Amino acid sequence: MTIVCRPGDELIPAFGDDVLSVERLDDVLRALMDDPAEDLVVVGPRIAPDEALGFAAHLRLERPTTGVILVREHVDVELLTEALRAGVREVVSAGDTASLVAACERSRALSERARAELRSPYDVDPGQRGKVVTVFAAKGGCGKTTIAVNLAAALATVEDQQVCLVDLDLAFGDVAISVQLDPVRTISDALPMSGHLDTTGAASLLTTYRPGLEMLLAPVTPGDAEKIPAGLVGELLTVLRGMFDFVVVDTPAQFSEHVLTAMDMSDHHVLLTTPDTPALKNLRITLDMLDLLAYSRDIRSVVVNRSDSKVGLSSGDVERVVRSPLDAQVPSSRSVPISINKGIPIVVGTPNHPVSQAIVRFAHERLLSRPATAKTKAFVRRGAGRR
């Protein structure tokens, strides 16, 4: 059955009896939730262009196998360009019933091929999908990459857990150098697969760090970062969460379309700060921004790195400044930069270190919802399968 939003009487004959006509795009979303198998939406000319394109962009990320056909009174090059960018499959002139029928047939064929390559997240039991965890700090120098790398490593020590770390700092990513990996393949290699990425393609982009821990590294060639659209980030995360138990995303120290895409798809936001005034100010702004964007407070954790630094601010002072409870405090130690220089995360090289224990405890209590036990597995430090 095709879902048609504000079609106008002239469009109804194109679909026969197999059509659900609704008045608002919100009604379309509800209908799609009720019918996970539906793969075609036709947006009629009575819907405003900005509203229609925004809907298509949202649907492209959340439900990539569902096609959107846009019907307009007037079709020009500018509209076609904006529609394709938003993920609209085809734009058809109002009143051209034959073209509309043909466009719908092509869209359904494309959806069928897409389903064969990639199961939609709506077709998967949410309990079987991996969790996306985005690590973010609005100020550089807070140790965000170090926390992200060690958090991913800590999650990968759990029995049978498969973890992927994604370096989304596309221009200045440090994940590869932090663990001394040669970035032969990076996220920029996904560009030719945009729009039809499947698990085989995603797997070809990954670099193995240790058994149970794969990494999708940031580009190394200048200018490649600008070529990567936010839609590709959403496509990658959709596929990766179907391949791994956890996908940990390291981000740049700024809100961008790519970062917001990751946050939209995240099951948990790890918000990092250090006990100094500029970092705390930026964290307060971050929390306000996330509230403004209507992200749930239940999925966020505030983590203070270098929490025992002697800078005149107690944990109580930090909580008062950011107006939020602290979910974890990671102490300061010179062992951390030493571990980075060795290319071995501290939770792997020195699992009994206070820094390691703080990160592992946070991973178990906030992300795994279970205490650390003896059932965690030790990384094999020799023959680790680096590439």
Side-chain angles (χ1 to χ4, degrees):
M1 178 176 63
T2 302
I3 301 174
V4 184
C5 185
R6 300 197 73 180
D9 295 338
E10 70 278 5
L11 296 184
I12 292 297
F15 309 103
D17 296 330
D18 193 21
V19 60
L20 172 63
S21 178
V22 299
E23 285 297 311
R24 299 182 307 166
L25 292 175
D26 287 345
D27 298 326
V28 175
L29 292 175
R30 281 190 287 271
L32 289 172
M33 291 295 292
D34 292 338
D35 186 3
E38 181 54 61
D39 57 13
L40 179 60
V41 176
V42 176
V43 180
R46 299 179 184 178
I47 300 297
D50 290 346
E51 188 179 356
L53 296 181
F55 169 80
H58 169 79
L59 204 62
R60 184 182 187 183
L61 293 179
E62 295 298 325
R63 194 156 162 166
T65 60
T66 300
V68 176
I69 305 295
L70 187 60
V71 179
R72 297 284 95 179
E73 295 289 349
H74 303 285
V75 179
D76 54 33
V77 174
E78 182 179 358
L79 174 62
L80 288 171
T81 301
E82 292 180 356
L84 290 175
R85 286 175 179 170
V88 173
R89 288 187 178 169
E90 296 196 39
V91 181
V92 179
S93 297
D96 191 347
T97 303
S99 295
L100 178 58
V101 171
C104 291
E105 291 176 351
R106 288 190 293 268
S107 181
R108 286 199 182 281
L110 182 59
S111 293
E112 185 175 352
R113 290 197 299 271
R115 284 196 302 271
E117 294 179 347
L118 170 63
R119 294 183 65 199
S120 165
Y122 287 88
D123 296 331
V124 179
D125 181 350
Q128 297 177 356
R129 281 191 283 149
K131 294 182 178 180
V132 177
V133 179
T134 295
V135 181
F136 180 78
K139 180 180 179 297
C142 290
K144 175 176 47 58
T145 296
T146 299
I147 293 295
V149 169
N150 279 276
L151 184 59
L155 290 167
T157 62
V158 180
E159 193 73 29
D160 298 326
Q161 288 278 140
Q162 298 296 314
V163 180
C164 180
L165 175 61
V166 177
D167 192 346
L168 202 57
D169 192 344
L170 301 176
F172 301 102
D174 287 331
V175 168
I177 199 170
S178 295
V179 292
Q180 295 182 7
L181 281 178
D182 181 15
V184 176
R185 297 175 300 280
T186 73
I187 194 172
S188 61
D189 293 306
L191 283 168
M193 296 179 273
S194 180
H196 53 85
L197 184 72
D198 59 9
T199 54
T200 302
S204 71
L205 305 171
L206 305 177
T207 303
T208 300
Y209 177 66
R210 302 266 168 158
L213 179 54
E214 303 279 341
M215 298 190 174
L216 179 54
L217 303 174
V220 294
T221 304
D224 275 0
E226 299 176 359
K227 301 176 183 177
I228 298 170
L232 179 57
V233 173
E235 193 175 359
L236 280 164
L237 293 179
T238 297
V239 177
L240 290 173
R241 79 186 312 171
M243 300 167 59
F244 293 91
D245 298 293
F246 280 93
V247 179
V248 179
V249 184
D250 184 27
T251 58
Q254 60 183 7
F255 281 110
S256 66
E257 189 176 1
H258 301 77
V259 171
L260 290 174
T261 297
M263 287 189 161
D264 284 346
M265 301 190 66
S266 293
D267 299 277
H268 206 94
H269 299 152
V270 178
L271 308 176
L272 194 65
T273 187
T274 49
D276 58 86
T277 302
L280 294 176
K281 181 266 294 182
N282 283 11
L283 173 59
R284 181 61 258 166
I285 294 174
T286 297
L287 293 171
D288 290 341
M289 176 67 74
L290 295 182
D291 286 340
L292 183 64
L293 295 173
Y295 288 112
S296 172
R297 296 185 180 187
D298 294 336
I299 66 168
R300 72 179 62 156
S301 293
V302 174
V303 177
V304 180
N305 195 23
R306 308 183 199 115
S307 59
D308 58 348
S309 301
K310 307 300 182 182
V311 293
L313 289 176
S314 66
S315 59
D317 294 329
V318 173
E319 288 184 336
R320 282 192 294 273
V321 171
V322 301
R323 301 196 296 277
S324 177
L326 308 182
D327 296 284
Q329 299 184 57
V330 180
S332 177
S333 173
R334 62 187 296 269
S335 298
V336 174
I338 291 174
S339 72
I340 296 172
N341 291 336
K342 290 181 178 179
I344 301 174
I346 193 169
V347 299
V348 175
T350 318
N352 293 324
H353 193 281
V355 171
S356 302
Q357 292 177 340
I359 294 173
V360 170
R361 184 166 55 249
F362 169 76
H364 280 261
E365 293 178 354
R366 293 292 291 167
L367 303 180
L368 292 164
S369 299
R370 53 181 168 176
T373 69
K375 291 185 178 180
T376 57
K377 60 184 178 183
F379 276 110
V380 180
R381 298 182 64 182
R382 185 176 58 183
R386 293 193 186 187
R387 298 177 184 173

